[in-house]
Amino acid sequence: MSDATTRTKGLEGVVAGSSSISLVEGAEGRLSYRGYRIQDLAANSSFEEVLYLLIYGELPTASQLGQIEMTLRERRALPDAATSVLRVLPKGDKQEPIDVLRTVVSSLALVDPDVDNTERDAVIDKALTLAARMPTIVAAYARLRESKEPIAPNNDLGHAANLLYMLRGEVPPEEDAKALNTYFVLAAEHSFNASTFTAKIVTSTLSDYYSAIVGAICSLKGVSHGGANQKAMEMMLEVGDVNNVEPFIDHALATKRRLMGMGHRIYKTYDPRAAQLNEQARIVAERGGNTKWYDIAQRIDNISHTHPYFAERKIYPNVEFYSAPLLYTLGFKPDMMPALFACSRISGWSAHILEQLQDNRIIRPNAEYIGPAIRDYTPLEDRR
Ligand code: ACO
């Protein structure tokens, strides 16, 4: 437990506030949203249901679920201004979809006439609209950069299925939609992680909802956080063959290179999300008849259980690890993966923004000053 004088690098172990949204039990490898076990939600819930749970605090009734599903479907289309931004942005190899998402979300603030409204109902309204639109932004950019026209949302489809539809141009098999839905459910919320805490800090200054989300996206894209799924997939592609896994790990450890998708600040045992995603990645790979990437991931995972380096440091696969081969097998390029993470985590960010606003006080910690003691000012002409 921390107190006011605690100085800890990376704020490790510091309790920075209270929250009723999710419980992460790192030693036990347990995660629950609003008291519901993540395994039950992953097996039974749609992303829309989890979004409702996170924002309103309770699972929806059938009619409440129908209402939120309809709201999301009605709001998927982008305003013209956002589509124009998407069309003019550069589309080379250096432009990451997460940066495009950040830019377009920021532009959406400029066409919201009620942008600064931080009343609860107004924030919920903005959160639902943005949750509906983010997949449209990501899918449209994925197509535009391949010189293909964006595909309009299909309002007969649920959230995950519609994203695959907008990307592929055809209604996806139910199993693919289920796998992506499971990913969206598992990545939706994780307490005071870096991006969520960023959103809380921005919100605490009474800035607007979009600014908080843009800040969260900026924080998410880092490779220590939500950028790790892309790097994990790039690592698996570099490994290339299941027989290369052991020499790859030996070389990585000898050169102090981190294995991406491994390790976690809070989980010191198997990340419960990784266990669920392992299962989905296997199902999708086996159905598609290509288990190469899943096999590589699993071999790395197995080695991490027995290798003393990982055992001593309690390093296990995290949520990013199996999401990489899962999303790749579903047809997403590695650089799209951080943006997909944002499409899910918008739900948790929004819940935390609402919670912060409910009992707000500006977040402003102290620093331990380690610079020079007070000294006399040296006029410019006397400085050497
Ligand atoms: N590969 C190899 N070694 C690692 C890894 C890794 N992935 N992660 C941690 N270590 C080692 C460190 O080198 C360090 O070893 P040392 O004590 O010999 O110096 C030790 O484990 C502790 O590492 P820290 O960096 O202090 O751990 P911290 O809690 O600060 O970092 C983090 C956690 C950032 C997730 C880290 O494990 C990491 O970089 N992982 C790879 C990136 C990743 O997958 N990020 C996604 C996390 S999940 C999420 O944000 C959605």
Side-chain angles (χ1 to χ4, degrees):
M1 186 62 74
S2 63
D3 59 35
T5 58
T6 301
R7 301 165 195 88
T8 153
K9 197 170 178 191
L11 296 180
E12 180 166 6
V14 171
V15 176
S18 50
S19 175
S20 62
I21 300 171
S22 65
L23 175 62
V24 185
E25 295 173 286
E28 298 81 6
R30 288 197 294 254
L31 170 64
S32 51
Y33 299 167
R34 303 278 193 194
Y36 293 102
R37 278 183 290 273
I38 192 69
Q39 291 82 355
D40 292 337
L41 294 170
N44 300 302
S45 287
S46 65
F47 172 73
E48 293 90 320
E49 223 174 322
V50 168
L51 174 65
Y52 187 101
L53 171 68
L54 292 173
I55 286 187
Y56 293 102
E58 295 295 338
L59 284 170
T61 62
S63 91
Q64 288 165 335
L65 179 59
Q67 182 60 48
I68 196 171
E69 285 174 349
M70 196 172 73
T71 303
L72 292 172
R73 286 171 201 222
E74 282 169 352
R75 298 184 184 189
R76 286 173 179 162
L78 299 179
D80 290 346
T83 309
S84 305
V85 172
L86 270 171
R87 288 192 186 280
V88 299
L89 287 175
K91 296 174 185 68
D93 291 343
K94 297 264 182 287
Q95 281 76 37
E96 303 276 348
I98 186 91
D99 293 335
V100 171
L101 183 66
R102 180 193 65 211
T103 305
V104 178
V105 169
S106 189
S107 77
L108 286 170
L110 301 173
V111 293
D112 182 344
D114 200 26
V115 58
D116 288 322
N117 192 339
T118 54
E119 295 293 322
R120 182 176 170 79
D121 287 350
V123 171
I124 291 177
D125 196 60
K126 291 175 203 308
L128 297 182
T129 305
L130 204 52
R133 286 177 176 170
M134 278 176 42
T136 315
I137 297 168
V138 173
Y141 185 73
R143 291 185 63 87
L144 284 168
R145 72 175 177 173
E146 290 179 357
S147 305
K148 295 179 191 157
E149 272 303 294
I151 293 171
N154 181 336
N155 287 350
D156 293 335
L157 300 175
H159 199 71
N162 174 58
L163 173 50
L164 290 168
Y165 170 81
M166 291 189 294
L167 196 72
R168 299 176 180 174
E170 56 190 39
V171 175
E174 207 172 296
E175 297 88 345
D176 285 8
K178 180 173 167 28
L180 184 60
N181 177 73
T182 307
Y183 169 70
F184 279 163
V185 168
L186 292 167
E189 157 60 12
H190 211 241
S191 188
F192 286 3
N193 58 85
S195 57
T196 299
F197 201 59
T198 306
K200 279 176 71 71
I201 293 172
V202 177
T203 301
S204 80
T205 70
L206 296 179
S207 183
D208 66 282
Y209 173 79
Y210 298 91
S211 296
I213 299 296
V214 169
I217 294 173
C218 294
S219 177
L220 185 80
K221 82 170 264 196
V223 297
S224 294
H225 188 18
N229 49 12
Q230 172 181 350
K231 295 297 169 194
M233 192 62 230
E234 288 170 358
M235 177 184 80
M236 291 171 200
L237 289 164
E238 189 183 332
V239 171
D241 187 286
V242 74
N243 294 315
N244 297 337
V245 166
E246 275 171 276
F248 180 89
I249 292 180
D250 289 344
H251 185 258
L253 296 182
T255 55
K256 297 204 175 305
R257 175 177 169 182
R258 289 192 177 208
L259 299 190
M260 302 314 286
M262 307 278 295
H264 200 277
R265 172 62 64 77
I266 310 286
Y267 291 121
K268 297 304 170 199
T269 182
Y270 213 91
D271 182 332
R273 302 165 297 175
Q276 298 288 311
L277 289 163
N278 178 342
E279 172 73 359
Q280 285 302 320
R282 184 184 59 72
I283 293 170
V284 169
E286 284 175 356
R287 196 166 39 77
N290 179 6
T291 61
K292 178 175 176 168
W293 309 114
Y294 175 74
D295 291 344
I296 289 174
Q298 209 189 29
R299 179 74 67 88
I300 298 171
D301 183 356
N302 288 343
I303 289 173
S304 75
H305 285 282
T306 51
H307 197 297
Y309 177 91
F310 299 102
E312 279 161 18
R313 292 166 180 77
K314 297 188 167 46
I315 294 174
Y316 297 88
N318 59 49
V319 66
E320 308 281 33
F321 189 75
Y322 281 104
S323 66
L326 170 65
L327 296 173
Y328 193 69
T329 309
L330 287 176
F332 294 103
K333 298 213 162 74
D335 71 353
M336 287 186 68
M337 294 176 185
L340 290 175
F341 194 158
C343 289
S344 165
R345 189 53 66 83
I346 174 97
S347 50
W349 293 335
S350 299
H352 282 275
I353 289 169
L354 287 160
E355 192 173 66
Q356 182 66 34
L357 285 167
Q358 209 178 328
D359 185 22
N360 189 50
R361 191 166 184 221
I362 190 166
I363 297 174
R364 203 300 185 194
N366 291 339
E368 176 195 13
Y369 177 68
I370 55 168
I374 293 295
R375 45 190 168 161
D376 292 333
Y377 180 82
T378 313
L380 183 56
E381 59 275 19
D382 295 344
R383 286 179 219 158
R384 298 286 173 263

